[in-house]
Amino acid sequence: MGKVTVTEHPLIQHKLTLLREASTSSKDFRQLLTEITMLMGYELTRNLPIQDKVIETPMGRTVGKEMAGKKPVIVPVLRAGLGMVDGLLNLIPGARVGHIGLYRDPETLEPVEYYCKLPNEIADREVIIVDPMLATGGSLAAAVNFVKQRGATSVRALCLLAAPEGLEAFQKAHPDVDLYVSCIDEKLDEHAYIVPGLGDAGDRIFGTK
Ligand code: URA
């Protein structure tokens, strides 16, 4: 089963409380989401491989460390996933960014891909899918399916909040994918919104209704 890491750092929990509040403006919401993503990104990247690198300092030769292994690609699930891109790019400025757009077919209720643009050689990359709200788990699972169908073999996912039902469904669908969340909330309501949650993440990021 994929590992679930709940990033319980005090700063993350403090900022998450501010983010959840209905009175928080879109401007502050975006800023807080970026800051939380950076803090969560610290945990997400903790086990990325490194290798030795010989360098010359002004004082002489030494051996430092540099990132090794697969090059990261950040893949936001449109639209709310866009709110988590800057936080990760602040940490990994050289990362590529792919995009996946999904909508739910009103009849079958299945997620349908309407947009997908990924960098080349996806099989040789560490794919980090970002989507703030893991509600039913359906769109995150579909996004992972799409990158796997295009050859990705190493995928991890970063979500701000998860509902227990969605977490379980996602883990069943993708037992090889490690998941990072800042909080596992109480439940889903009858409209598949996370409770207590924060409302519609896309609307709060972009100031739409
Ligand atoms: N998507 C959201 O934006 N919010 C939820 O609570 C669930 C899904």
Side-chain angles (χ1 to χ4, degrees):
M1 202 48 92
K3 202 168 77 161
V4 179
T5 302
V6 182
T7 55
E8 282 173 335
H9 191 288
L11 282 174
I12 296 179
Q13 298 308 315
H14 176 85
K15 288 172 191 290
L16 181 58
T17 303
L18 295 173
L19 189 84
R20 286 184 192 270
E21 281 201 83
S23 59
T24 298
S25 68
S26 287
K27 173 177 165 287
D28 290 345
F29 191 96
R30 283 194 295 271
Q31 177 67 31
L32 287 161
L33 184 54
T34 295
E35 291 170 4
I36 294 172
T37 304
M38 282 180 69
L39 292 162
M40 293 182 77
Y42 182 79
E43 285 304 323
L44 176 99
T45 52
R46 184 183 281 284
N47 64 358
L48 290 181
I50 49 174
Q51 64 192 13
D52 288 348
K53 183 181 183 192
V54 178
I55 54 163
E56 298 284 343
T57 79
M59 310 303 291
R61 178 167 296 200
T62 188
V63 181
K65 300 285 181 195
E66 65 177 1
M67 303 299 292
K70 296 183 172 202
K71 296 221 179 326
V73 53
I74 303 161
V75 181
V77 180
L78 301 178
R79 138 184 94 130
L82 292 173
M84 299 179 87
V85 173
D86 284 352
L88 283 186
L89 277 177
N90 287 343
L91 294 181
I92 322 167
R96 302 285 176 95
V97 182
H99 293 88
I100 291 183
L102 302 169
Y103 70 91
R104 191 169 292 277
D105 184 298
E107 269 163 29
T108 65
L109 300 181
E110 289 299 315
V112 181
E113 178 191 305
Y114 68 84
Y115 186 76
C116 184
K117 187 85 178 169
L118 299 172
N120 292 336
E121 290 117 28
I122 197 82
D124 302 329
R125 293 186 181 277
E126 182 65 46
V127 178
I128 306 167
I129 306 226
V130 293
D131 194 357
M133 307 302 273
L134 200 175
T136 63
S139 44
L140 186 65
V144 173
N145 276 336
F146 295 138
V147 295
K148 284 184 176 173
Q149 280 160 15
R150 286 167 173 84
T153 54
S154 187
V155 184
R156 57 188 76 192
L158 181 63
C159 300
L160 183 68
L161 298 181
E165 305 89 317
L167 202 60
E168 197 184 325
F170 180 78
Q171 283 194 293
K172 272 201 192 116
H174 294 289
D176 57 319
V177 173
D178 287 347
L179 195 56
Y180 297 79
V181 300
S182 70
C183 189
I184 301 172
D185 271 11
E186 202 182 309
K187 59 176 184 180
L188 289 179
D189 74 2
E190 62 279 18
H191 304 292
Y193 272 77
I194 298 176
V195 179
L198 48 76
D200 186 298
D203 281 347
R204 297 210 54 191
I205 294 166
F206 296 109
T208 50
K209 248 287 159 229

